[in-house]
Amino acid sequence: MVAIEGSGKASFAVTSRAPARLSAADRPGDSGGSINLNWMPSTSIGVTEQRLYRSPTSGGPYSLVTTFLNNTSTAFFDDNGGSGFTNGTTYHYVIRTFDGTFESADSNVASAVPLDNGISAGSEVLAWGNNPSGFYCMGSPSSATNPINITNLGGDVKALSSYSAFFSHTLVVLGDGTVWACGRNFSGMLGDGWMIDSVIPVQVNGLIGVKTVSAGTNFSLALKTDGTVWAWGFNGTGQLGDSTQTARYTPVQVTGLSDIVAIATGTHSLALKADGTVWAWGYNPAGQLGDGTVESRYAPVQVSGLLGVVSVAAGEYHSLALKADGTVWAWGYNNMGQLGDGTTTNSSTPIQITGLTGVNALAGGALHSLALKTDGTVWAWGNNGSGRLGDGTTVQRNTPVQVTGLTGAVAVAAAGAHSLALKTDGTISAWGNNSYGQLGDGTTTQRNTPMPISDLTSVVTIMGAGDTSFVVKDTGSSPLVGFTSPNNLAFLNTPVLRVTGTVENSLETVTVNGVSAVVTAGIFTADIPLIEGNNTISAIAVNTAGAHETASIQVTLDTVPPNISGSGFPVPNTNAWNNTDVIVVFTATDALSGVVSSTAPVTVTTQGAAQAIVGTATDAAGNIGSIHFPVNIDKTPPIVSTTVSPLPNAAAWNNTDATVTFTAIDSLSGVAVVTPPEVVIA
């Protein structure tokens, strides 16, 4: 601005610069109308205040919302003083700085429309322990020794993942399939297109239809419901799997992956395919990718020799896989026995953890591992500093030991140096390091055996990250339920169908077409009888609060093979023989599921009788029909001979009328017609 002094001279006072990159967005999961704001502070020296203004009219006039008595704040949650906003109205924001004398010009204008997202406030997130960089998403960095409600994560939380320490950030999937993030962002791991830390959630750009997320060291992964994987953040050793080393500040698709059903991250990335194979990429100094090398991979590679896998977990530098037979396999860093094979030797290929069977869930901590058995017991191995293995000691274990006094568990979580277990009654037990109150018992006392967290019930999801613990509580919303197998509109040929699916927690009961399903670690299974033709399969999940949700798919049972026929070209003669090569063409029909493949035309060149040319056809349900089409080919003419009666003389002459008789022989197809005898007149 310009100030005119009494001397008649003009003196110039330079005002401070406004903050930059102001952004506004509807608050995730909120049905009451509120807006999240983020910005980059002014680079000017001497700023004493930041002032946020709002207007329901484009271009103003703007009214003061709040003042920050600093130049460091970068985020604000505006709920209009607790009153909320008019649903569907656009609100416009600017932010200015003040240096004690002058107010700056406006920043860029940021606008948002608060909407009712249609998401019930059916779950709440609680956290306790250390809160580096505000990665609780609670609005300001602090710590807590008792669970506190993270109000910035309102609504229906579908999935949650977090990484602690220097790279602390949190990812949340809401019921509408969007992803929100908060915490550190110097490598773009929040996915909002910037590198600005945020203590309140910012939406990850362009991601919808997300099933789950996994926060890695300084990168992030998301698994969509269509089976594709997306990544963002640091990419120096291929963590994003897009075949480059280029950092990405918004999501990119991981190269060459489809039909993925689960993901996990540490310093590296893992993906489980529907066919039971495991794929890995990223940092690999200890062989944690499992491909037999210690070379980092910039695109997914298959983990060597590992089939029939149903779930995966990742520690910081090691990997775990659970097979369908209940056995556990591990690979990567093993300095503290975290591979559970009785040694401290690294392995770049999967090795089976001996003596550990009947497992249905895994968790990987920084330097330790957990396994949940089907009988509800928990087993642990690896580093036991601070008692994180829960066996009553601090002795390192290179093979699994049972966690003391813990039964009825349905889920486990492993963090930096502490562990968590969720029980069938919706309560939690915790053990291990408690320096920041991460055990949630109101103290900072280390626990070498599990300690229940009092007054915490109806928990459906647990997670540990570094020195922090998270849970998602069920507050009565309809549970999430869905089928994973078979696919909707599938054609089947088995009268009894094994259906599988997911529910948002193991505390729900699920019935499928009236059959009680087995629910373990969020996965339900049931055997359902089918009738020939169309079938509707309906799953009903009921949670501990009594709320329910139904999911349905349509399948078709077809147990009848396709009808297949054959035709030969050229058409054989009336005796069913051909004297040239024959092309056999097969035709198939299937009235219920349709034909998906059949034998291509076959050219027959070999001579022979009753040559059986096999044709097959497969329908969409997997039934196979077949036919043996006969082909007769004789390309060789008959052998013809003659006799003359009466016999001619020695000079081959007759002096009377003579009769010539023809005789033919054909050893393959036989003689059909022979010239009749002819009389030759003398």
Side-chain angles (χ1 to χ4, degrees):
M1 70 179 284
V2 179
I4 306 298
E5 297 184 347
S7 62
K9 298 179 180 179
S11 65
F12 295 86
V14 180
T15 62
S16 57
R17 296 185 183 92
R21 297 177 179 173
L22 177 64
S23 63
D26 178 41
R27 182 189 178 212
D30 179 32
S31 60
S34 53
I35 295 171
N36 277 347
L37 296 122
N38 290 267
W39 62 91
M40 179 178 289
S42 171
T43 57
S44 297
I45 298 173
V47 172
T48 58
E49 295 179 10
Q50 298 181 95
R51 298 172 177 175
L52 180 67
Y53 294 87
R54 178 184 66 232
S55 174
T57 306
S58 178
Y62 291 99
S63 301
L64 182 66
V65 176
T66 189
T67 298
F68 305 92
L69 300 178
N70 58 57
N71 191 35
T72 57
S73 295
T74 60
F76 182 69
F77 162 53
D78 186 12
D79 63 355
N80 196 22
S83 301
F85 292 101
T86 302
N87 186 48
T89 299
T90 301
Y91 292 89
H92 310 274
Y93 292 85
V94 296
I95 191 167
R96 305 166 188 161
T97 58
F98 182 68
D99 61 7
T101 305
F102 301 109
E103 189 176 61
S104 73
D106 292 343
S107 67
N108 63 292
V109 178
S111 303
V113 181
L115 298 172
D116 183 341
N117 296 313
I119 300 172
S120 63
S123 60
E124 60 184 13
V125 179
L126 296 94
W128 59 96
N130 195 18
N131 187 29
S133 306
F135 85 140
Y136 278 174
C137 301
M138 63 185 294
S140 62
S142 65
S143 297
T145 58
N146 292 106
I148 57 174
N149 195 321
I150 310 305
T151 56
N152 277 336
L153 297 178
D156 194 354
V157 176
K158 182 178 177 182
L160 179 72
S161 181
S162 191
Y163 197 93
S164 186
F166 183 69
F167 308 105
S168 58
H169 64 294
T170 296
L171 305 173
V172 177
V173 184
L174 296 184
D176 61 358
T178 60
V179 180
W180 298 74
C182 55
R184 300 296 299 273
N185 199 24
F186 56 85
S187 294
M189 51 268 214
L190 300 190
D192 63 345
W194 307 107
M195 291 189 294
I196 306 170
D197 297 349
S198 180
V199 296
I200 61 175
V202 294
Q203 187 170 2
V204 177
N205 283 358
L207 272 187
I208 57 174
V210 173
K211 175 182 178 182
T212 192
V213 285
S214 187
T217 46
N218 48 4
F219 66 100
S220 304
L221 291 186
L223 170 61
K224 286 191 171 186
T225 54
D226 64 4
T228 60
V229 180
W230 298 71
W232 59 98
F234 183 70
N235 199 23
T237 52
Q239 290 91 326
L240 306 189
D242 66 345
S243 300
T244 78
Q245 291 176 270
T246 304
R248 309 290 185 178
Y249 306 125
T250 56
V252 294
Q253 187 171 352
V254 176
T255 301
L257 283 184
S258 59
D259 297 323
I260 300 301
V261 296
I263 54 176
T265 56
T267 55
H268 58 299
S269 301
L270 300 175
L272 171 62
K273 295 193 77 170
D275 63 4
T277 59
V278 180
W279 298 73
W281 62 97
Y283 197 38
N284 195 29
Q288 60 261 48
L289 301 190
D291 66 343
T293 77
V294 291
E295 299 176 9
S296 295
R297 303 292 187 178
Y298 307 134
V301 293
Q302 186 171 352
V303 175
S304 299
L306 200 56
L307 302 172
V309 175
V310 294
S311 70
V312 290
E316 192 167 13
Y317 293 95
H318 72 287
S319 304
L320 301 167
L322 171 62
K323 286 193 173 186
D325 61 6
T327 60
V328 179
W329 299 69
W331 60 99
Y333 197 36
N334 197 27
N335 68 320
M336 291 288 182
Q338 55 265 51
L339 301 191
D341 66 340
T343 77
T344 55
T345 303
N346 296 351
S347 178
S348 60
T349 56
I351 51 179
Q352 184 176 351
I353 300 177
T354 57
L356 192 60
T357 58
V359 175
N360 66 5
L362 299 170
L367 296 170
H368 73 293
S369 306
L370 300 178
L372 169 64
K373 286 193 171 188
T374 54
D375 62 5
T377 61
V378 178
W379 296 70
W381 60 97
N383 187 353
N384 199 16
S386 303
R388 71 193 75 176
L389 301 189
D391 66 344
T393 78
T394 57
V395 177
Q396 176 179 312
R397 305 293 186 178
N398 298 341
T399 56
V401 293
Q402 186 172 352
V403 175
T404 302
L406 186 60
T407 59
V410 293
V412 288
H418 72 286
S419 305
L420 303 166
L422 172 62
K423 302 187 72 174
T424 54
D425 60 2
T427 63
I428 292 180
S429 290
W431 61 97
N433 187 24
N434 200 22
S435 300
Y436 294 93
Q438 57 263 47
L439 302 189
D441 62 354
T443 77
T444 55
T445 303
Q446 172 181 310
R447 308 291 184 181
N448 297 348
T449 57
M451 175 67 64
I453 300 176
S454 60
D455 301 323
L456 188 57
T457 59
S458 300
V459 173
V460 295
T461 300
I462 58 174
M463 186 191 69
D467 299 316
T468 311
S469 302
F470 293 84
V471 300
V472 179
K473 280 190 64 173
D474 186 353
T475 58
S477 66
S478 296
L480 301 175
V481 61
F483 289 93
T484 56
S485 176
N487 293 326
N488 188 35
L489 303 180
F491 292 102
L492 309 165
N493 61 7
T494 304
V496 177
L497 171 65
R498 169 63 60 88
V499 298
T500 62
T502 58
V503 290
E504 69 179 352
N505 65 81
S506 301
L507 306 181
E508 295 166 1
T509 60
V510 179
T511 57
V512 183
N513 283 20
V515 176
S516 294
V518 176
V519 182
T520 303
I523 305 296
F524 72 82
T525 59
D527 293 328
I528 306 301
L530 302 177
I531 61 172
E532 191 80 6
N534 295 327
N535 294 258
T536 299
I537 310 296
S538 296
I540 302 175
V542 181
N543 64 18
T544 54
H548 69 276
E549 182 177 280
T550 301
S552 297
I553 57 174
Q554 298 286 332
V555 299
T556 300
L557 176 64
D558 180 2
T559 60
V560 180
N563 180 39
I564 184 169
S565 60
S567 301
F569 298 95
V571 176
N573 63 22
T574 56
N575 296 313
W577 281 86
N578 286 82
N579 60 5
T580 62
D581 295 347
V582 175
I583 298 174
V584 179
V585 177
F586 296 99
T587 303
T589 59
D590 190 285
L592 196 52
S593 62
V595 177
V596 295
S597 66
S598 61
T599 301
V602 177
T603 301
V604 185
T605 61
T606 304
Q607 294 189 113
Q611 300 179 72
I613 309 304
V614 179
T616 62
T618 304
D619 63 22
N623 301 301
I624 299 175
S626 64
I627 186 176
H628 291 72
F629 184 80
V631 173
N632 302 305
I633 298 178
D634 185 358
K635 302 178 184 178
T636 305
I639 298 173
V640 180
S641 61
T642 61
T643 58
V644 178
S645 178
L647 293 174
N649 62 20
W653 284 88
N654 283 78
N655 58 6
T656 64
D657 294 345
T659 300
V660 180
T661 302
F662 299 93
T663 303
I665 299 173
D666 191 295
S667 60
L668 188 57
S669 61
V671 177
V673 179
V674 180
T675 302
E678 293 185 11
V679 177
V680 181
I681 305 299

PDB file of all heavy atoms in Angstrom, residues 4-11:
ATOM      1  N   ILE A   4       0.766   8.576   2.178  1.00  0.00           N
ATOM      2  CA  ILE A   4       1.201   9.936   1.841  1.00  0.00           C
ATOM      3  C   ILE A   4       1.525  10.677   3.127  1.00  0.00           C
ATOM      4  O   ILE A   4       0.668  10.844   3.995  1.00  0.00           O
ATOM      5  CB  ILE A   4       0.107  10.694   1.057  1.00  0.00           C
ATOM      6  CG1 ILE A   4      -0.320   9.869  -0.176  1.00  0.00           C
ATOM      7  CG2 ILE A   4       0.610  12.068   0.652  1.00  0.00           C
ATOM      8  CD1 ILE A   4       0.790   9.638  -1.150  1.00  0.00           C
ATOM      9  N   GLU A   5       2.810  11.119   3.259  1.00  0.00           N
ATOM     10  CA  GLU A   5       3.232  11.834   4.455  1.00  0.00           C
ATOM     11  C   GLU A   5       3.061  13.340   4.260  1.00  0.00           C
ATOM     12  O   GLU A   5       2.981  13.840   3.137  1.00  0.00           O
ATOM     13  CB  GLU A   5       4.695  11.516   4.763  1.00  0.00           C
ATOM     14  CG  GLU A   5       4.913  10.018   5.091  1.00  0.00           C
ATOM     15  CD  GLU A   5       6.340   9.741   5.478  1.00  0.00           C
ATOM     16  OE1 GLU A   5       7.201  10.606   5.268  1.00  0.00           O
ATOM     17  OE2 GLU A   5       6.602   8.634   6.001  1.00  0.00           O
ATOM     18  N   GLY A   6       3.085  14.079   5.393  1.00  0.00           N
ATOM     19  CA  GLY A   6       2.856  15.523   5.348  1.00  0.00           C
ATOM     20  C   GLY A   6       3.907  16.283   4.570  1.00  0.00           C
ATOM     21  O   GLY A   6       3.668  17.385   4.116  1.00  0.00           O
ATOM     22  N   SER A   7       5.089  15.699   4.408  1.00  0.00           N
ATOM     23  CA  SER A   7       6.151  16.378   3.681  1.00  0.00           C
ATOM     24  C   SER A   7       5.898  16.410   2.190  1.00  0.00           C
ATOM     25  O   SER A   7       6.608  17.063   1.436  1.00  0.00           O
ATOM     26  CB  SER A   7       7.489  15.673   3.933  1.00  0.00           C
ATOM     27  OG  SER A   7       7.418  14.331   3.449  1.00  0.00           O
ATOM     28  N   GLY A   8       4.892  15.691   1.778  1.00  0.00           N
ATOM     29  CA  GLY A   8       4.604  15.641   0.348  1.00  0.00           C
ATOM     30  C   GLY A   8       5.296  14.505  -0.353  1.00  0.00           C
ATOM     31  O   GLY A   8       5.093  14.299  -1.535  1.00  0.00           O
ATOM     32  N   LYS A   9       6.175  13.749   0.383  1.00  0.00           N
ATOM     33  CA  LYS A   9       6.842  12.609  -0.221  1.00  0.00           C
ATOM     34  C   LYS A   9       5.993  11.352  -0.027  1.00  0.00           C
ATOM     35  O   LYS A   9       5.249  11.240   0.934  1.00  0.00           O
ATOM     36  CB  LYS A   9       8.205  12.404   0.400  1.00  0.00           C
ATOM     37  CG  LYS A   9       9.160  13.581   0.190  1.00  0.00           C
ATOM     38  CD  LYS A   9      10.475  13.282   0.858  1.00  0.00           C
ATOM     39  CE  LYS A   9      11.470  14.452   0.673  1.00  0.00           C
ATOM     40  NZ  LYS A   9      12.749  14.171   1.353  1.00  0.00           N
ATOM     41  N   ALA A  10       6.125  10.465  -0.935  1.00  0.00           N
ATOM     42  CA  ALA A  10       5.423   9.184  -0.833  1.00  0.00           C
ATOM     43  C   ALA A  10       6.351   8.152  -0.204  1.00  0.00           C
ATOM     44  O   ALA A  10       7.501   8.024  -0.606  1.00  0.00           O
ATOM     45  CB  ALA A  10       4.985   8.692  -2.208  1.00  0.00           C
ATOM     46  N   SER A  11       5.893   7.444   0.831  1.00  0.00           N
ATOM     47  CA  SER A  11       6.668   6.339   1.401  1.00  0.00           C
ATOM     48  C   SER A  11       5.891   5.044   1.184  1.00  0.00           C
ATOM     49  O   SER A  11       4.660   5.045   1.213  1.00  0.00           O
ATOM     50  CB  SER A  11       6.910   6.565   2.893  1.00  0.00           C
ATOM     51  OG  SER A  11       5.693   6.531   3.597  1.00  0.00           O
TER      52      SER A  11
END
